[in-house]
Amino acid sequence: MSQFKFSVGPWNVHSGADSYGPATRAEIPFEEKIKKFSEMGFSAIQFHDDDAVPNINELTEEEIKEEARKVKALLDKYHLAAEFVAPRLWMDPHTVDGGFMSTSEDDREFAMWRAKRSIDIANELGADKVVLWLAREGTLCAESKSSVWATRQLVEAINEMLRYDADIKIMIEPKPNEPIDRSICGTMGHVMGVSAATIDPSRVGGLLESAHAILAGLDPAHEIGFAMAMGKLWGVHLNDQNGIKFDQDKSFGVENLRQAFNQVKVLVENNFGSNGEYVGLDVKAMRTTTDEDSYKHLENSLKIVQALEDKVKRFDYDFQKKCVETRDFEGLEMYVMNLLMGII
């Protein structure tokens, strides 16, 4: 049995449409997804603001809260919690050049409106965290904006959120590129710097996604460990990635099994989840997946996380210590490979 509580977002089960082709599967109703997630053993749901309130731009602030309360009743029905709410700024016409860092003042105001509504929705859903995935916060043209100005805009936007609600926590999910060319906040190190610059660093932390670290040419386990050492790892999104290319959101561990093992290992060793954190999945089904198998990528990812947890529990720390003392890293490396291959 896993020591973790797991979360998932409704976008993890989708129709298969991408930038290069149309849908390949039927859309699944929201409540049907929520019911299935509960049956699969998930404990919490990740939300974008418009997952909870689809027509958010057309509603008043009170109407948005009323719609969010309906979603809360649905979560209660299936015994699920809300982990966080994230403003989906990258899909709106206002945010073609970014939200908080847009060169348009009107668009920056729109981004703040959506961020504050996300906080309102989080409060109605019983979540205490808002996630910022800064998808378009950077430059498409290197000379289009100053990185100094843009970074300060991000800090001030977070400060405004912190002032808006005295209890909300902000989790920044870093990504180095794609869809933006050059991100302003691309790694956990950047997240720590931004957190330290805000008016309340104790309420600004990080959420690490495996694939995003790989896209930065970094090791996800080390990014996880760095944030944990700072007391700032408040969430993870486990998935996988085949090299430095477009963001693939592949099932956890299917490309880089040893890398996946070390992510689970650092989480287990440092008792991740003891403060209520969730291990989140952010994985997408292949376009070739059938309607009948729409949840298989989630099932596979859960099985791999739990199998790797078992490997961590069987890890021989005494042997590791001996190898480190003698610097027999070849021996230690082969031990890990034998463990993962099931030879020992």
Side-chain angles (χ1 to χ4, degrees):
M1 184 173 178
S2 177
Q3 76 172 50
F4 301 127
K5 295 186 300 181
F6 293 94
S7 71
V8 63
W11 62 89
N12 281 266
V13 178
H14 61 98
S15 65
D18 63 19
S19 300
Y20 309 101
T24 60
R25 292 180 295 277
E27 290 288 350
I28 298 174
F30 180 74
E31 182 171 355
E32 186 177 329
K33 291 182 184 181
I34 299 301
K35 180 176 183 291
K36 181 65 173 179
F37 293 154
S38 178
E39 292 170 351
M40 293 174 67
F42 287 99
S43 298
I45 305 299
Q46 311 156 10
F47 285 95
H48 296 110
D49 52 2
D50 56 7
D51 291 320
V53 185
N55 54 339
I56 186 170
N57 288 350
E58 303 168 13
L59 303 178
T60 66
E61 293 178 19
E62 186 52 43
E63 287 171 337
I64 289 169
K65 293 177 183 178
E66 289 175 6
E67 291 300 309
R69 285 193 281 270
K70 296 176 185 177
V71 177
K72 178 62 166 68
L74 193 63
L75 294 178
D76 291 344
K77 177 180 177 180
Y78 294 107
H79 310 290
L80 291 164
E83 182 184 11
F84 62 73
V85 177
R88 198 196 306 258
L89 299 178
W90 55 94
M91 296 294 288
D92 196 280
H94 288 90
T95 60
V96 293
D97 186 39
F100 307 125
M101 303 176 190
S102 174
T103 52
S104 162
E105 184 177 356
D106 287 345
D107 292 346
R108 293 197 301 274
E109 289 178 359
F110 169 79
M112 285 309 310
W113 184 83
R114 286 285 290 260
K116 290 176 181 178
R117 301 297 74 74
S118 293
I119 294 172
D120 293 342
I121 294 169
N123 285 331
E124 296 297 337
L125 297 181
D128 66 346
K129 295 182 180 69
V130 162
V131 165
L132 301 182
W133 179 49
L134 305 170
R136 301 196 190 279
E137 306 297 358
T139 60
L140 292 170
C141 170
E143 296 78 21
S144 65
K145 63 187 72 169
S146 161
S147 57
V148 175
W149 173 85
T151 303
R152 289 171 177 165
Q153 288 297 123
L154 174 60
V155 171
E156 183 48 40
I158 294 172
N159 285 343
E160 191 166 340
M161 293 177 223
L162 296 172
R163 286 190 288 262
Y164 180 74
D165 187 292
D167 298 315
I168 202 71
K169 297 181 178 68
I170 309 296
M171 289 197 291
I172 303 173
E173 180 183 350
K175 186 180 182 186
N177 55 18
E178 196 264 337
I180 201 71
D181 181 35
R182 296 173 179 86
S183 169
I184 292 297
C185 188
T187 70
M188 271 297 177
H190 290 87
V191 172
M192 298 304 104
V194 169
S195 172
T198 65
I199 58 174
D200 189 355
S202 70
R203 290 197 284 141
V204 183
L207 185 157
L208 191 281
E209 179 173 316
S210 313
H212 294 178
I214 296 169
L215 284 168
L218 300 171
D219 185 283
H222 279 199
E223 286 285 271
I224 288 171
F226 176 81
M228 292 189 92
M230 303 295 171
K232 292 288 190 178
L233 187 74
W234 297 347
V236 291
H237 279 174
L238 300 183
N239 56 17
D240 214 340
Q241 174 77 20
N242 177 21
I244 303 175
K245 53 186 74 170
F246 64 93
D247 192 0
Q248 295 172 312
D249 292 341
K250 302 190 81 171
S251 295
F252 182 61
V254 297
E255 289 288 343
N256 304 281
L257 186 60
R258 186 177 174 194
Q259 202 171 65
F261 167 73
N262 281 309
Q263 290 173 68
V264 174
K265 185 170 179 285
V266 71
L267 292 170
V268 169
E269 288 174 346
N270 292 278
N271 205 24
F272 182 80
S274 60
N275 295 312
E277 307 96 336
Y278 295 93
V279 169
L281 297 182
D282 192 0
V283 294
K284 307 293 192 297
M286 302 177 195
R287 281 175 54 77
T288 51
T289 299
T290 63
D291 290 80
E292 292 75 18
D293 288 338
S294 289
Y295 298 89
K296 183 176 282 187
H297 60 302
L298 291 170
E299 294 168 352
N300 291 347
S301 294
L302 287 173
K303 288 176 183 176
I304 291 171
V305 173
Q306 291 165 357
L308 291 176
E309 277 188 83
D310 181 65
K311 298 289 186 183
V312 172
K313 290 171 184 174
R314 294 196 291 112
F315 187 79
D316 190 339
Y317 286 92
D318 289 334
F319 180 75
Q320 177 197 42
K321 182 179 179 181
K322 291 176 183 177
C323 288
V324 171
E325 287 173 349
T326 60
R327 293 186 177 173
D328 180 13
F329 299 144
E330 294 287 357
L332 179 57
E333 195 159 67
M334 196 61 205
Y335 167 75
V336 173
M337 296 311 297
N338 284 334
L339 179 65
L340 293 177
M341 291 187 291
I343 295 174
I344 56 174

